[in-house]
């Protein structure tokens, strides 16, 4: 048995759910409000707003901290897989998906009749392609690739919500990180960390231990007011019938017009490993910001900190592997000395997943902001590094 309750036939205004990494909602919320979208509800890893399918183009282009922009197509009740199939078959998929197209179904399922969510995906996909075959005489291909139409099913108990995942690939994949190296920070997390610091490009941004350069690259994009979505040329919405290409081109052109060409501050990124700096440079070049970042190979403690103030932000290893901890402890201790001796007049930030190691810095953190790097609970610790003689304890 199924019961269709709401249907967004003409793709008018609907609920839009934006997913994000756990703990990032405060920053996503700020972004949405700045873009003048209402915040209807929040969970730990997502925010509901509302708008048209056209609005999803702007969200995909502009958001720095969101992962996926899901546009609600229909909500209904379904008790089991057969009911799901019957309900999905009622939807006019032929109006949205080309018969010679390709689609992927993703899901989050918590229903007592379903043991493996892949079964729900298959039932949902079968209904979509059967419907299109019946109406058009041809069925679209389907599979796991998320680079074309992506349909997302959220099924909790007897309630189903079907969304178009208008992002396709998650927005964290900006496309610039061709060389990720080890332990890179996710692009959306890096953006959230910078937004959490309040840095907006008006003061210097110093990033020793830059690794693949994610923080410095995201900082450059923020300082330029350049939306990260300009870097990508493929999104889920582009593969839906009725994609408003001229609106997309207008949005991109407008965003380019509003972006700055030069910076009012300095961005410096260094790492002790030459290969890391080479990778960071290449990634920055792909992002179109290499010329705005001063790269250097050096120990973090040798990183230049120019006059003028700003932020110094470090993301050292957390030392998950035993045996390395002692080595890393020395680095954390040294970070405290570097902050005190070389970064006066700046605000220091340490992003780490190991709070015991963070204590070795030996400075009192003014703020501690919780983040998650995958499943690892992390903190962004903020240290005020006073100019002059004031003692840090
Ligand atoms: C966790 S990774 C940083 C990842 C980076 N945020 C990214 O997104 O790619 C830590 C980096 O610190 C660097 N590092 C370790 N010890 C260092 C030291 N003494 N001086 C400078 N860099 C160091 C490593 O080479 C590594 O690239």
């Amino acid at each position: 048995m199924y019961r269709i309750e709401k249907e967004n036939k003409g793709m008018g205004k609907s609920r839009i759910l934006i997913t994000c990494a756990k703990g990032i909602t405060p920053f996503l919320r700020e972004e949405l409000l700045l873009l003048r979208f209402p915040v209807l509800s929040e969970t730990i890893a997502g925010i509901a707003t509302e708008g048209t399918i056209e609005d999803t183009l702007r969200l995909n282009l502009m958001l720095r901290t969101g992962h996926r922009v899901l546009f609600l197509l229909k909500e209904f009740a379904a008790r089991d897989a057969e009911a799901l199939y019957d309900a999905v078959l009622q939807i006019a998929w032929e109006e949205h998906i080309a018969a010679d197209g390709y689609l992927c179904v993703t899901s989050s399922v918590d229903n007592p009749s379903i043991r493996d969510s892949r079964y729900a995906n298959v039932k949902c996909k079968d209904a979509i392609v059967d419907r299109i075959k019946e109406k058009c005489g041809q069925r679209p291909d389907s599979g796991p690739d998320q680079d074309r139409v992506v349909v997302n099913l959220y099924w909790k108990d007897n309630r189903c919500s079907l969304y178009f995942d208008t992002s396709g690939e998650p927005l964290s994949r900006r496309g610039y990180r061709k060389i990720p190296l080890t332990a890179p920070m996710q692009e959306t997390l890096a953006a959230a960390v910078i937004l959490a610091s309040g840095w907006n490009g008006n003061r210097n941004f110093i990033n020793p231990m830059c690794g693949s350069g994610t923080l410095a690259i995201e900082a450059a994009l923020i300082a330029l007011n350049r939306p990260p979505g300009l870097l990508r040329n493929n999104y889920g919405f582009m593969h839906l019938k009725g994609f408003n290409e001229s609106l997309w081109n207008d949005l991109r052109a407008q965003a380019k017009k509003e972006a700055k060409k030069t910076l009012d501050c300095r961005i410096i990124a260094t790492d002790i490993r030459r290969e890391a700096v080479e990778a960071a440079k290449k990634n920055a070049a792909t992002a179109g910001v290499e010329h705005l970042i001063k790269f250097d190979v050096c120990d973090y403690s040798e990183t230049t900190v120019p006059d003028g103030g700003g932020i110094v932000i470090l993301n050292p290893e957390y030392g998950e592997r035993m045996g390395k901890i002692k080595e890393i402890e020395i680095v954390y201790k040294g970070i405290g000395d570097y902050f005190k001796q070389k970064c006066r007049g700046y605000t220091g930030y340490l992003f780490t997943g190991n709070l015991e190691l963070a204590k070795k810095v030996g400075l009192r953190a003014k703020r501690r902001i919780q983040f998650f790097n995958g499943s690892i609970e992390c903190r962004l610790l903020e240290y005020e590094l006073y100019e002059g003689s004031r003692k840090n304890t």
Side-chain angles (χ1 to χ4, degrees):
M1 270 295 293
Y2 66 89
R3 192 158 51 90
I4 294 171
E5 290 167 1
K6 283 183 198 160
E7 203 171 331
N8 189 13
K9 269 208 152 158
M11 300 278 260
K13 205 171 187 181
S14 189
R15 187 166 76 219
I16 297 173
L17 182 66
I18 300 155
T19 65
C20 63
K22 205 168 148 190
I24 280 184
T25 37
F27 313 103
L28 178 58
R29 162 184 253 275
E30 283 301 305
E31 285 202 273
L32 281 171
L33 294 176
L34 272 174
L35 292 170
R36 298 184 186 284
F37 280 88
V39 170
L40 302 181
S41 62
E42 278 185 38
T43 64
I44 186 148
I47 295 187
T49 182
E50 63 180 1
T52 61
I53 193 87
E54 271 77 22
D55 288 323
T56 68
L57 275 53
R58 198 154 76 89
L59 290 166
N60 276 292
L61 179 67
M62 303 300 286
L63 288 176
R64 297 183 194 277
T65 61
H67 273 182
R68 295 180 178 279
V69 180
L70 307 176
F71 182 79
L72 182 70
L73 187 63
K74 187 174 272 189
E75 284 181 308
F76 50 89
R79 204 176 48 206
D80 54 24
E82 291 318 311
L84 172 75
Y85 177 90
D86 290 345
V88 176
L89 196 66
Q90 302 298 309
I91 299 171
W93 296 102
E94 66 281 3
E95 290 175 12
H96 309 298
I97 302 173
D100 61 354
Y102 175 98
L103 75 126
C104 170
V105 177
T106 58
S107 67
S108 165
V109 178
D110 178 9
N111 172 283
S113 75
I114 303 291
R115 265 183 293 157
D116 184 342
S117 67
R118 283 174 298 184
Y119 182 58
N121 293 4
V122 167
K123 289 307 272 185
C124 189
K125 181 268 297 172
D126 283 351
I128 298 171
V129 300
D130 289 352
R131 164 86 190 207
I132 295 174
K133 173 89 194 294
E134 184 200 319
K135 299 287 175 186
C136 309
Q138 189 185 350
R139 63 176 66 216
D141 281 339
S142 63
D145 300 338
Q146 297 182 18
D147 57 353
R148 282 156 280 175
V149 174
V150 181
V151 174
N152 177 264
L153 166 70
Y154 180 78
W155 190 2
K156 177 134 179 69
D157 302 324
N158 280 359
R159 313 255 346 130
C160 287
S161 305
L162 268 181
Y163 296 91
F164 278 127
D165 179 344
T166 64
S167 306
E169 299 281 359
L171 299 178
S172 52
R173 290 197 203 136
R174 312 270 204 242
Y176 63 70
R177 207 159 59 193
K178 302 288 183 208
I179 312 172
L181 295 176
T182 45
M185 199 184 253
Q186 205 171 36
E187 294 89 326
T188 39
L189 175 60
V193 163
I194 298 167
L195 296 178
S197 78
W199 187 85
N200 60 8
N202 52 354
R203 299 173 83 212
N204 298 326
F205 186 97
I206 316 299
N207 179 212
M209 302 185 165
C210 69
S212 60
T214 323
L215 281 162
I217 295 167
E218 290 296 321
L221 296 173
I222 288 172
L224 291 174
N225 188 32
R226 189 185 289 174
L230 281 175
L231 292 165
R232 247 172 72 163
N233 54 19
N234 187 33
Y235 292 89
F237 61 74
M238 292 178 169
H239 303 276
L240 294 173
K241 278 186 174 178
F243 161 49
N244 190 340
E245 196 170 353
S246 71
L247 172 67
W248 177 242
N249 290 335
D250 288 351
L251 287 170
R252 282 180 57 95
Q254 184 68 22
K256 282 184 188 165
K257 212 168 94 188
E258 288 171 5
K260 293 187 198 168
K261 300 278 176 291
T262 55
L263 297 182
D264 304 326
C265 64
R266 292 182 70 185
I267 300 181
I268 297 174
T270 69
D271 199 285
I272 199 162
R273 286 186 300 148
R274 181 166 296 280
E275 71 195 276
V277 173
E278 287 310 316
K281 271 188 189 173
K282 286 198 178 116
N283 292 335
T286 309
V289 295
E290 188 202 358
H291 60 295
L292 301 170
I293 302 171
K294 165 102 174 58
F295 289 100
D296 221 340
V297 179
C298 66
D299 190 83
Y300 71 90
S301 59
E302 300 300 323
T303 304
T304 311
V305 182
D307 288 343
I311 75 170
V312 184
I313 184 162
L314 292 96
N315 167 215
E317 279 137 9
Y318 317 153
E320 295 101 51
R321 278 173 291 132
M322 290 302 292
K324 255 200 122 191
I325 289 279
K326 279 276 162 248
E327 239 174 79
I328 298 179
E329 256 183 38
I330 297 168
V331 173
Y332 277 71
K333 263 189 197 149
I335 289 173
D337 295 334
Y338 171 66
F339 275 166
K340 275 189 287 190
Q341 289 157 15
K342 299 212 172 154
C343 307
R344 287 193 209 107
Y346 274 71
T347 308
Y349 289 92
L350 179 73
F351 183 90
T352 181
N354 189 326
L355 292 178
E356 281 309 307
L357 281 172
K359 286 183 190 156
K360 303 286 174 204
V361 171
L363 301 176
R364 191 186 302 138
K366 193 177 150 207
R367 278 204 303 158
R368 296 158 175 271
I369 307 162
Q370 187 189 45
F371 283 98
F372 289 86
N373 190 359
S375 59
I376 305 172
E377 188 179 338
C378 298
R379 292 282 185 285
L380 177 68
L381 302 168
E382 178 182 295
Y383 304 95
E384 198 69 68
L385 308 169
Y386 295 104
E387 194 84 70
S389 61
R390 187 159 174 172
K391 206 168 172 256
N392 291 296
T393 48

